[in-house]
Amino acid sequence: MTEAGFDPKMLEALVCPITHATLRYDAERQELVSENAHLAFPIRNGIPVMLVDEARQVE
């Protein structure tokens, strides 16, 4: 687990809620990034928030 409590092994089970593609873990920003959807989902208190309304746009 990371210092924030997110277990990177969760990436094996989590997918983008829009594209259903795999996600990339950005440890520095504490986000899960969907390259295909151009969205970054926040990780708060070690828990990924997989809501489109909570995601930010990325290039």
Side-chain angles (χ1 to χ4, degrees):
M1 281 199 208
T2 65
E3 60 191 44
F6 176 70
D7 185 353
K9 290 181 183 178
M10 288 169 82
L11 284 176
E12 296 172 14
L14 292 173
V15 295
C16 174
I18 296 172
T19 66
H20 304 288
T22 58
L23 300 164
R24 176 179 55 83
Y25 174 50
D26 183 338
E28 185 177 314
R29 296 190 89 156
Q30 285 299 296
E31 295 177 327
L32 297 179
V33 180
S34 172
E35 303 289 348
N36 294 338
H38 303 284
L39 293 173
F41 298 92
I43 299 171
R44 296 188 185 124
N45 298 319
I47 300 170
V49 180
M50 302 304 296
L51 301 172
V52 176
D53 290 346
E54 296 289 323
R56 69 176 183 86
Q57 290 278 43
V58 294
E59 293 182 17

